[in-house]
Amino acid sequence: MTPHDPIDDAATARAVIDEHGTLLQWNAGARLLLGWPAADVVGRPAAELLADGSMPVPDGPRWDGTVPLRHQDGHRVRVWLLAHRRPGRGDSPAHWLVVTPLESAGPPSTEDPLASAGLTQSPCAVAVYDERLRLRRINNAMSAVIGLPEDRIRGLRASEIGGKAQSEELEENMAGVLATGRARDVQTYLHVGGEGHPHAWLARMAPVTDADGRVRGVCVAAHDFTENYLSRQRLQLVNEASVRIGTTLDVTRTAQELADVCVPALADFVSVDLLDPDGDSSGAPTPVTVPVRLRRAAQRSLTPGSPEVVVEPGHTALYPGRSPQAASLTAGRAVVASVPSGDLDEWLDRDRVRDEWVREYGIHSTMSVPIRARGLTLGVAVLTRFRRPDPFTPDDVLLAEEITARAAVCVDNARRYSRERETALALQRSLLPRELPRTAAVDAASRYLPAARSGVGGDWFDVIPLSGMRVALCVGDVVGHGIQASATMGRLRTAVRTLADIDLAPDELLTHLDDLVVRLSEEAGGDGSPGEVGATCLYAVYDPVSRRCTLARAGHPPPVLVPPDGAPRRVELPAGPPLGLGGLPFESAELDLTEGSVLAFFTDGLLEHRDRDADAGHSLLLDALGDASGPLEETCDRVLHALLPPGGVADDVALLLARTRGLAAAQVATWDIPADPALVAPIRKQVVEQLAAWDLSDSSFTAELVVSELVTNAIRYGSQPIRLRLIHDAVTLICEVSDSSHTAPHLRRAKTWDEGGRGLLLVAQLTQRWGSRHTPQGKTIWAELALLEEL
């Protein structure tokens, strides 16, 4: 029967009034109440029915109250009214619905069947306990929940009826209600009535009072909200997965996070197996063919030690088409299989090890979920149950697919990052020196560590042999990370070596390098606006003959000097602007170094860390370099151990240590050359005698020819003063001729009938290397000869 049924129409007085107070509807119940027929009142102001003529003004969507109304025969009737404001729909405007009941609302008789059925037949499970918390009454719904009739359990306590820890907790809360007289809501998750699956229950407890207000017992109403509880659990698990999965860009770690999230929330054992990358960097999807070879990336078990494992992490296994793993990968969806249904019989019959594993641990259900992201199949997650008796449900499948989809994106990101990182590392390894050259000027050792998270950057270092036994030491840092930074680093390192070959002073070299970075930045911008290419650099040249080091830096941290008989200290150098600003000058500084001094060059990643500032890092570096008298390789390791966190570095780190050597005065011979070609012969004789004194007579013939050509050219084409210098170490003899002319020599090939022009060509053929360098006083032509005893 609906509220508008004619049979029920007289049980309620009902009227409809528009926003202006005009009666729109008047039912039979309203006529019974006030005697007015509808024809007399519809269309007239509702205020005419008020006995005192005042109309209450509701201030909300609902109003109730008692008002005096005027009956048709003239007497007053006090009526309780309930009014609802109903918004308009379509063409129908907003209006008020006013109602009042006409039938008596007095208490029902004790013999009323509805009154007695209110408790026993209520769909809500209700139980009433007395002051001793002994069961007094339960209705049919509660009896069904407990699984026992009322007459069997009447007089028992809740803990005795349930027999579980949760039952004792409920009883403690009932005692609290009995003692305080305040209601409580308690949530619990337990098995009741011998059912196979636990349910989530909300127990609403309220005190039962007598006429005097004394608490005489407790009423408990139980509400099953299992579906809501499970939905919240699933949502919580999805949220937890989004937080716990993908914390790193490591594939194995991400796979382990997926397994950890699913145990024990979804399964008792989870394995994550991934397809090995096929080496195709295009990222194009490739079809999965059976049998499928998968590599175990991660696993997690409720059993300590994971004794049920068949495939160890890092190992591969071949899965035939009848296996759940291959079936889910080829189908592209989750596949649920159970042992009781026989879904796994065909596979287990051919795999005795797995069959024994299933029988020993009582495995009854598995779910294989493909790991797919961006159209790529990456692997499969297999969820297994053996402790939980319930099989996987469709909701479990949806939840596992949601979690696995999130993990798949993280695994794909990790693989892409790893692929780019490996490419950048390979590029950087090819650009950085594989081993430092052995020179007569310094002993050197180095370390390079790429960033743990942000990827390979643009840090570099180099040791460059120069003419005259000198050596250039360089360290730099390109802004940014990744392949682009590594490529830029390679271009800058090549430029430094090229500029070093023409023997530019450190400040001049940085000026040219700054111009290159400006051009690279303009190229990176593309549209004519400057790009974001930037770098810092420190460049030093050490001469073992004079034991003098010339340094300049471009926004780079200054080096640390460790004298052989003193404490480490920072070398004070003009800072210089970073490379790429353009047009700003660089300044050089000179140091006189004692033989055995150690110079430490490094990038800012060594000093800076999120837990300390650069000054604190510099103090640690000075402490670590306090004893640098031992092998430089050990010193490098000690520095890194002292300054770097164990979990990896946030920025690239480059470290270069160089211990200076010095050439004894006895290894250097110098002559001032008069501007007379006739005196070249005596000079040659003095050179031969000097080589004999050095026990290098086997090289005297070649050295005599080279000296003759270089000295003759200097007398003929150079300017006074002219000086000849011979330098040697264990393996190399260097001949240098300096003059005050700035004109550089040029190697040319003389024609057949030319009388000259063959001198430099002869020098180039007789020596390992030759070249020229400009000096503040002019130029120096040099040539290096390999000593015969070392050939």
Side-chain angles (χ1 to χ4, degrees):
M1 182 182 302
T2 67
H4 299 287
D5 242 332
I7 300 176
D8 187 57
D9 201 42
T12 301
R14 184 173 60 253
V16 176
I17 306 172
D18 66 13
E19 294 280 18
H20 304 290
T22 302
L23 278 166
L24 301 179
Q25 294 181 21
W26 187 262
N27 77 335
R31 180 175 182 175
L32 286 176
L33 178 65
L34 297 180
W36 299 96
D40 292 346
V41 295
V42 172
R44 298 180 65 83
E48 295 179 355
L49 297 177
L50 297 174
D52 55 6
S54 62
M55 183 72 178
V57 181
D59 57 357
R62 193 182 78 171
W63 176 89
D64 70 282
T66 301
V67 296
L69 300 179
R70 185 166 55 88
H71 196 273
Q72 185 185 27
D73 60 12
H75 75 275
R76 294 162 60 97
V77 180
R78 293 187 62 83
V79 181
W80 178 84
L81 298 179
L82 176 63
H84 301 277
R85 189 181 187 281
R86 305 171 73 178
R89 294 183 180 179
D91 297 334
S92 176
H95 59 271
W96 287 87
L97 172 65
V98 183
V99 297
T100 188
L102 297 182
E103 296 182 352
S104 172
S109 169
T110 55
E111 298 180 358
D112 188 348
L114 294 180
S116 60
L119 174 64
T120 58
Q121 298 182 26
S122 170
C124 179
V126 179
V128 178
Y129 292 81
D130 62 18
E131 294 177 76
R132 299 177 301 160
L133 295 182
R134 298 287 178 179
L135 181 66
R136 182 67 66 87
R137 289 291 309 275
I138 60 172
N139 65 355
N140 296 342
M142 182 62 82
S143 178
V145 168
I146 298 175
L148 295 169
E150 178 184 339
D151 58 351
R152 295 292 185 184
I153 59 175
R154 187 183 298 114
L156 296 179
R157 300 172 72 103
S159 58
E160 297 169 337
I161 298 172
K164 299 179 178 63
Q166 295 93 329
S167 305
E168 296 178 359
E169 181 182 353
L170 288 173
E171 188 172 293
E172 291 176 1
N173 281 278
M174 290 165 60
V177 173
L178 198 62
T180 63
R182 291 194 295 269
R184 291 187 184 183
D185 288 347
V186 180
Q187 294 185 9
T188 186
Y189 193 68
L190 76 163
H191 294 265
V192 294
E195 60 186 3
H197 310 296
H199 282 233
W201 296 93
L202 171 62
R204 313 203 74 164
M205 305 175 183
V208 177
T209 59
D210 58 16
D212 297 328
R214 292 179 301 175
V215 178
R216 304 299 300 272
V218 179
C219 178
V220 180
H223 304 273
D224 186 349
F225 70 111
T226 304
E227 288 303 320
N228 181 272
Y229 173 82
L230 293 178
S231 297
R232 291 206 310 264
Q233 291 293 100
R234 296 185 187 103
L235 180 60
Q236 181 179 352
L237 186 59
V238 171
N239 291 336
E240 183 181 356
S242 65
V243 173
R244 293 177 56 187
I245 300 176
T247 58
T248 67
L249 286 171
D250 179 79
V251 174
T252 302
R253 179 59 187 163
T254 303
Q256 187 62 53
E257 289 167 348
L258 170 60
D260 293 344
V261 165
C262 293
V263 176
L266 269 177
D268 302 322
F269 177 79
V270 173
S271 63
V272 180
D273 299 309
L274 300 178
L275 293 162
D276 284 334
D278 56 9
D280 182 11
S281 61
S282 65
T286 55
V288 177
T289 57
V290 294
V292 184
R293 183 168 293 280
L294 298 169
R295 185 176 300 276
R296 179 63 50 86
Q299 58 194 20
R300 177 68 184 275
S301 174
L302 278 178
T303 308
S306 302
E308 63 272 50
V309 171
V310 176
V311 181
E312 293 294 335
H315 295 189
T316 62
L318 197 64
Y319 296 90
R322 53 188 171 271
S323 65
Q325 291 88 338
S328 64
L329 288 176
T330 54
R333 57 177 176 81
V335 172
V336 177
S338 66
V339 173
S341 65
D343 298 333
L344 302 174
D345 289 351
E346 185 178 358
W347 179 39
L348 297 178
D349 288 344
R350 297 175 179 268
D351 194 330
R352 180 170 299 177
V353 174
R354 292 184 186 275
D355 185 55
E356 294 176 355
W357 176 63
V358 167
R359 297 179 185 278
E360 179 178 355
Y361 293 99
I363 293 172
H364 59 84
S365 299
T366 66
M367 174 169 50
S368 300
V369 185
I371 303 174
R372 292 177 52 84
R374 302 182 179 99
L376 300 176
T377 300
L378 306 175
V380 61
V382 180
L383 293 79
T384 305
R385 286 183 178 177
F386 51 87
R387 287 192 184 179
R388 292 176 57 167
D390 50 315
F392 290 106
T393 66
D395 287 336
D396 292 333
V397 174
L398 292 176
L399 181 57
E401 289 178 335
E402 172 70 17
I403 295 174
T404 305
R406 291 172 181 260
V409 174
C410 298
V411 170
D412 187 50
N413 289 340
R415 277 195 169 176
R416 290 170 184 264
Y417 166 79
S418 299
R419 184 163 53 242
E420 180 177 345
R421 178 180 171 83
E422 288 301 322
T423 302
L425 278 172
L427 174 62
Q428 190 152 40
R429 281 193 295 265
S430 68
L431 296 175
L432 289 174
R434 295 187 178 181
E435 59 182 21
L436 300 179
R438 299 179 60 185
T439 69
V442 296
D443 292 323
S446 63
R447 293 290 186 273
Y448 170 75
L449 276 74
R453 290 178 176 269
S454 53
V456 179
D459 292 14
W460 90 91
F461 58 88
D462 213 344
V463 176
I464 308 170
L466 301 178
S467 62
M469 296 289 182
R470 297 170 305 130
V471 65
L473 305 169
C474 180
V475 63
D477 185 0
V478 175
V479 174
H481 295 87
I483 295 178
Q484 185 61 45
S486 295
T488 302
M489 176 273 291
R491 299 176 73 172
L492 295 184
R493 177 172 178 257
T494 301
V496 169
R497 295 186 71 90
T498 302
L499 295 171
D501 281 343
I502 59 177
D503 262 314
L504 291 179
D507 55 341
E508 295 180 22
L509 183 142
L510 292 181
T511 300
H512 287 282
L513 200 62
D514 181 52
D515 294 337
L516 173 61
V517 175
V518 170
R519 290 195 297 273
L520 293 178
S521 185
E522 292 173 351
E523 293 175 4
D527 57 355
S529 60
E532 296 182 356
V533 178
T536 63
C537 184
L538 171 61
Y539 184 78
V541 175
Y542 173 67
D543 186 348
V545 177
S546 64
R547 294 178 175 82
R548 177 166 295 177
C549 183
T550 306
L551 309 93
R553 64 185 178 119
H556 201 86
V560 171
L561 171 63
V562 188
D565 54 354
R569 62 179 176 87
R570 186 190 316 212
V571 177
E572 298 299 331
L573 292 179
L579 299 174
L581 298 184
L584 298 178
F586 299 94
E587 299 181 47
S588 294
E590 290 189 350
L591 295 175
D592 291 323
L593 301 179
T594 306
E595 183 176 0
S597 297
V598 174
L599 284 169
F601 302 84
F602 49 86
T603 55
D604 55 10
L606 181 68
L607 301 183
E608 297 177 359
H609 189 261
R610 63 179 180 270
D611 295 332
R612 64 168 187 262
D613 56 21
D615 290 337
H618 196 270
S619 298
L620 290 175
L621 176 60
L622 295 180
D623 292 341
L625 291 172
D627 181 13
S629 59
L632 292 181
E633 295 291 340
E634 295 180 3
T635 305
C636 283
D637 293 337
R638 185 171 65 252
V639 168
L640 296 185
H641 179 74
L643 274 81
L644 301 185
V649 292
D651 193 8
D652 285 26
V653 172
L655 174 65
L656 175 64
L657 301 182
R659 178 178 287 120
T660 61
R661 295 177 178 176
L663 289 178
Q667 294 177 268
V668 182
T670 305
W671 294 270
D672 290 325
I673 307 298
D676 185 357
L679 299 178
V680 174
I683 295 298
R684 290 202 304 266
K685 181 179 179 182
Q686 293 177 35
V687 168
V688 172
E689 291 173 352
Q690 182 63 59
L691 293 180
W694 284 342
D695 198 20
L696 299 178
S697 298
D698 291 341
S699 301
S700 60
F701 177 75
T702 304
E704 186 179 3
L705 289 176
V706 171
V707 167
S708 178
E709 291 297 333
L710 295 183
V711 170
T712 300
N713 281 346
I715 294 174
R716 182 175 300 175
Y717 303 110
S719 302
Q720 286 289 336
I722 301 172
R723 176 168 293 181
L724 168 65
R725 185 171 72 162
L726 297 183
I727 310 171
H728 84 91
D729 64 357
V731 296
T732 306
L733 174 66
I734 298 177
C735 304
E736 293 183 345
V737 177
S738 303
D739 68 84
S740 59
S741 171
H742 292 278
T743 303
H746 297 283
L747 181 66
R748 66 185 181 89
R749 188 175 298 277
K751 297 179 181 179
T752 304
W753 307 107
D754 289 347
E755 295 183 1
R758 298 178 178 85
L760 288 181
L761 179 61
L762 179 63
V763 170
Q765 296 297 317
L766 293 175
T767 60
Q768 282 185 318
R769 297 193 308 158
W770 78 279
S772 65
R773 65 176 182 269
H774 290 280
T775 66
Q777 295 78 27
K779 68 175 182 297
T780 298
I781 312 299
W782 55 270
E784 291 184 3
L785 291 77
L787 297 179
L788 295 179
E789 58 263 31
E790 294 297 326
L791 295 178

